Structure formats: C-alpha cells, structure tokens
Amino acid sequence: MTSRSVGRTPCVRAPKIRQSPDEHTPSETPGDTVTQPNRTAIGFDEGSNGAAHWFGELTRRRSAGPISAQHKVLPRSLSPETLAVHAGTYEDPITGSVGTPIFQTSTFLLDDASYGAFSDGALRDVPIYTRYGNPSQWSVQEKIAALEGAESALVTSSGMSAIANTIYALTNSGSHIISAYDVYGGTYNLLREDMPSAGREVTFVDPTDIEAIRSAVRPETQVLFFEALTNPLLKAPAIRQIAGIAAAANALLVVDNTFLTPVLMQPLALGADVVIHSATKYLAGHSDLTAGAAAGRRKFLDRIWAQTLRFGGTLEPLSCFLLERGIKTLPLRIEKQNDNAREIAKFLASHERVAEVYHPALGGDRYADLEHADYRGYGGMVSFEVNGGDAAALAFMRNLTVPYVATSLGGVESLVSMPSNTSHSSLTTRQMSLIGINPGLVRFSAGIENARDLIGDLRHALDALDEEGVR
Ligand SMILES: *Cc1c(COP(=O)(O)O)cnc(C)c1O
C-alpha cells in the first residue's frame, strides 16, 4: 500500500470496520459497548477531496442498514440506474478498490464492538459470523434496499429461503394467511404442506379477485402474500388495493416482486410491507447463481433476519459478489427484456398457430383494471398457447434454435419451457384448467438478444409445425 494509500489519505476517511484495541478513541474504551462511531458513521468521504466527491451532499444520509462506514449509502430519490451501479458499494480505504471486495470468510475477529453487540443484542450490525452478517451481504443488501425504496434488506441462499423465513417470521401459530392458488409452486407447497402443521391456516384465492381477497380476511389474518405478476399467466393483482385490505385488517402484505423487479414496480411505495425476490432470476440476471432477498422496514427485516439465523439460508460471500455485480446492469437488462417481450407478444398475437397470448402490454379485457401508473413496464415474460396442445408445443420448442429450453427466467439468454410438464406438473388437469393453464401453454422468458433474431426464430419454429404435419 505505498503510493495508493499516500494519495488517498486514509486517515481522513472513515475508519475501517475492524479496529485493534489500541486504535480506539477514548470514548470507545473497553466496556463502552454502545459507542461504535466506526460502524455507524454514514458517508464515505468526510471532508477529503477524494474521487468519490461527485455526489457531494447526497452521500451523507442515514440508512437503517446494516452497513459500515465504508458502504456507500445513497438517497432513495436517485434513479434506479444510478442506485443499481453505486448503492451499497464497499469502498475499501486501504486499496481504493472500485468494486466491493469478496469477504470470503465465515468469521470475524472479536473485539469490544463484537462483545458489545452480543450484550446489546445488536448482532445484525457488527460482523461476527457470516450467517449473522458479512460486509459482502451488506453491500448487495443496501443496493436492493435502495432500489426497492426500503430501509433494510436481507439476502438469502434462495428465493424460497427468503419466502419461508419471511412467512415464518411474520406469523404465529394460530394465525391465518391469504395467498393465491396460482402462486409459485415452491411457495404453494410451503403454504399448503408446512403451514397447517405449523399452526397457520391458509386461504387460497384468485389474486385478481379483490372481493374474494377482502372476504377471506379473518380476525386472525396476519399475512397476505401475493406476486406482483403471476406465473405463468401473468395475472396482475391490484397491489395498491390489496395493501389497503391488509392495512384495514391490521395484517402485513408481502409481495413477491420477482417478475417485475423494483425497476418496474416498487411494491413498498404501493403499500406493501415486505418485498421478496427470487434473486436467482432478474436481479442476478445471468442464470449463474441461486439467491433470494427480502426488503422493507428495519423492524420487519430484523425479525426475518432472526428467523434466518435459526433456519439457516444465509447467502455465501461469493454469491453476494455475483449478485451485486449482476444488479449493476439490472435497469439496462430490464429495459431490453421489456422491449423484446412486448415485440414478441405482438408477433405471437398475429400468428395463426398461436391461440392465446398473455402479456400486460397487449391490454385487453384481462388487464382492464390495470393501474398503469403503478408500472414502469411489464417485464420480460410472455406466455402463449400453441394450437394443437402440449404435443404441438413440445414440437415447437424443439424447433427453436436461439432460446434454451429450460425452466427459470430472467437471465440474459432467452429461456422457454412448458408449465404443464415442469413447474405445474404436480397439478391435476382439472387444477390446471381451474388456474387457466390450457393445453399448449408455453412460457417464454425474453433475454437481451436482438428482437428480430428472436422473432425470426419463433416464426420459423411455428411455421415448421405445419411443414412437419403437427396439428
Ligand atoms: C423462482 C421463483 C421463486 C423461488 O426462488 P428460488 O430462488 O428458486 O428459490 C419464488 N417466486 C417466484 C415468483 C419465482 O419465480
């Protein structure tokens, strides 16, 4: 650390997280467990002329964290594009590293601050053990919190970890939960299989039927759980109205925002209490990791964090790095995926081998009640029914050359699959038709490829069905 540290005058930057005892200021003598200015100071460049000065005053804002003095905290009023790149970055005072280092460690040196955290119950705010917290997690958590307009966020080892920990944390035995009968399969199984034995009763409703949701409310209802856009039929529940029902019932609204991402909808601003992500999908965006996230007010996130300590499911530092890097391009990717999905939906609606197309940008009766002002776009998913049923849909998918035939979604590469033989294969034909999953339904996750190439490939794969004699 020679020329670098001289140029960066580390002495005027906020102190690093770990202080050896002899670095303590008089107010931090052993036994003084509350004062931890090194961990609570906000901003990254107090008084120096460092390169990071360009945000000026904007940087000196408090956050509910957890963060350290080195984590970049930006006001939530900045644009998603800016927050996605900069929010939460750990600015290492020793090396001047532009990106967040990977804190590949399971544990941290114990010092007075750690012991203070133990005695004060402030274990979420001090790096002690990675299941409890790690600066790599804090970076990506602050980025997600900033994008969702939340006080605090938590990253977990999968979307299901975020969902299970959140639902357990926010309900007690004897309570009641309302959700959608066509919620993500893993969520449905958790609600259906595990909640009753844990003493939570669940009512499943049509997420677009506001009156059904309202009349499902009971005195003991604690959580309403809905998806911002549903899988695979892209139903768009009225989140703002459901938030009103939850508030009137003194219950919490949890929204799984995986399909829209905060770039397109911020459920917290519409009245939701906690937002969930399968970060495996759009947030990470490259189909290369499994992760989840929850975001909301610190008091809720502290409970979810405590639940995650007990159940496990923390996110590994290397995956935090990959997720943080992925989110930097989220707004760019989403814009392209929106455009591609919209163009694909329009093309499919005009093709005679396609019976039905599901995408909010197409409008129509299905989306008559959509509060367009609540969306900045409708995402990269398109579902459609191939004439000829499941056999024709399978033949169609085999004819595609650009997208991969695989489950999952939200990656830079287009993915295509059929719900009936993957995500929804455990349902009976009757259950599927109740949800609206008709024979021949295909789900397309638009990547960031060229729209003309994707549409050309789709056209070829559909036209070839006739040549192959598939009916
Ligand atoms: C994939 C998905 C999940 C589960 O996330 P994992 O990361 O696979 O655990 C939850 N909700 C939705 C909407 C999803 O698409």
Side-chain angles (χ1 to χ4, degrees):
M1 302 310 123
T2 51
S3 60
R4 189 87 221 183
S5 47
V6 171
R8 292 182 72 83
T9 55
C11 56
V12 298
R13 295 174 66 88
K16 59 186 189 287
I17 282 189
R18 282 291 129 194
Q19 292 189 322
S20 63
D22 58 7
E23 287 176 302
H24 280 219
T25 59
S27 66
E28 296 174 273
T29 48
D32 183 352
T33 54
V34 187
T35 320
Q36 299 166 12
N38 55 324
R39 300 176 195 279
T40 53
I42 303 302
F44 51 86
D45 203 19
E46 303 287 348
S48 86
N49 296 317
H53 221 60
W54 57 284
F55 271 114
E57 286 305 298
L58 296 181
T59 61
R60 294 197 188 99
R61 288 280 295 256
R62 279 203 169 268
S63 154
I67 46 136
S68 75
Q70 281 67 47
H71 286 90
K72 196 164 174 174
V73 176
L74 296 174
R76 288 10 182 178
S77 56
L78 286 171
S79 302
E81 294 84 351
T82 306
L83 293 173
V85 174
H86 293 286
T89 303
Y90 182 97
E91 300 191 310
D92 182 50
I94 304 299
T95 62
S97 164
V98 165
T100 300
I102 305 170
F103 291 89
Q104 193 68 42
T105 181
S106 61
T107 191
F108 299 84
L109 296 178
L110 290 167
D111 67 2
D112 294 337
S114 329
Y115 297 127
F118 274 105
S119 62
D120 295 349
L123 296 170
R124 203 182 161 209
D125 293 289
V126 181
I128 289 171
Y129 183 62
T130 288
R131 179 159 48 80
Y132 289 54
N134 174 304
S136 289
Q137 294 166 358
W138 294 359
S139 277
V140 66
Q141 286 174 179
E142 175 58 23
K143 200 183 281 301
I144 293 168
L147 286 167
E148 285 289 6
E151 277 180 7
S152 184
L154 180 75
V155 289
T156 56
S157 56
S158 69
M160 281 315 303
S161 173
I163 291 167
N165 282 303
T166 298
I167 291 177
Y168 269 98
L170 302 181
T171 55
N172 327 103
S173 180
S175 68
H176 174 244
I177 297 166
I178 302 171
S179 190
Y181 54 64
D182 53 355
V183 80
Y184 176 77
T187 310
Y188 183 79
N189 292 337
L190 174 83
L191 293 172
R192 174 96 202 193
E193 304 298 327
D194 297 313
M195 285 300 115
S197 58
R200 282 86 160 158
E201 258 195 78
V202 186
T203 303
F204 295 97
V205 297
D206 178 342
T208 57
D209 186 343
I210 284 293
E211 286 319 310
I213 297 170
R214 203 189 306 280
S215 46
V217 170
R218 299 182 198 166
E220 64 273 23
T221 303
Q222 282 185 332
V223 160
L224 285 77
F225 186 103
F226 289 97
E227 292 168 350
L229 202 59
T230 74
N231 172 32
L233 296 177
L234 306 175
K235 292 180 191 168
I239 297 299
R240 202 186 277 275
Q241 285 186 57
I242 299 173
I245 294 172
N250 201 18
L252 300 178
L253 173 60
V254 179
V255 172
D256 181 336
N257 198 23
T258 299
F259 271 46
L260 285 178
T261 83
V263 177
L264 302 181
M265 177 189 271
Q266 288 183 310
L268 299 176
L270 303 181
D273 298 288
V274 174
V275 180
I276 298 282
H277 284 278
S278 169
T280 312
K281 317 290 170 53
Y282 287 102
L283 294 192
H286 295 74
S287 304
D288 57 2
L289 69 99
T290 301
R297 290 173 59 190
R298 171 95 197 216
K299 66 173 183 179
F300 299 135
L301 267 293
D302 280 354
R303 290 189 69 136
I304 299 165
W305 168 82
Q307 187 72 59
T308 309
L309 289 192
R310 299 193 288 270
F311 279 175
T314 194
L315 191 63
E316 229 272 319
L318 179 59
S319 294
C320 292
F321 163 79
L322 288 171
L323 181 55
E324 186 188 348
R325 183 173 75 166
I327 296 175
K328 290 180 187 185
T329 56
L330 175 70
L332 280 176
R333 286 186 280 109
I334 291 287
E335 193 180 324
K336 180 75 171 164
Q337 286 163 314
N338 274 351
D339 292 348
N340 282 353
R342 194 181 54 245
E343 293 310 309
I344 288 167
K346 276 196 260 173
F347 159 73
L348 291 168
S350 72
H351 199 284
E352 72 273 8
R353 284 299 310 221
V354 176
E356 190 71 64
V357 185
Y358 303 85
H359 187 74
L362 292 179
D365 290 352
R366 205 175 285 130
Y367 300 107
D369 298 330
L370 205 66
E371 289 289 347
H372 292 278
D374 293 343
Y375 301 79
R376 287 179 60 185
Y378 304 107
M381 304 299 295
V382 187
S383 291
F384 56 100
E385 288 160 21
V386 178
N387 278 328
D390 286 352
L394 268 176
F396 155 76
M397 291 197 302
R398 270 196 295 271
N399 290 337
L400 290 168
T401 62
V402 178
Y404 288 114
V405 179
T407 65
S408 197
L409 59 120
V412 290
E413 64 287 293
S414 292
L415 296 180
V416 61
S417 63
M418 288 169 63
S420 65
N421 60 9
T422 57
S423 55
H424 293 68
S425 61
S426 64
L427 302 186
T428 64
T429 314
R430 207 186 90 79
Q431 283 173 318
M432 274 197 258
S433 75
L434 211 65
I435 293 172
I437 299 175
N438 295 326
L441 187 76
V442 172
R443 191 186 76 175
F444 195 96
S445 168
I448 61 169
E449 302 96 333
N450 181 285
R452 251 176 306 128
D453 293 343
L454 291 173
I455 290 171
D457 196 40
L458 285 163
R459 179 184 287 117
H460 169 262
L462 287 166
D463 291 346
L465 292 178
D466 291 335
E467 293 151 28
E468 294 160 358
V470 178
R471 298 185 155 266

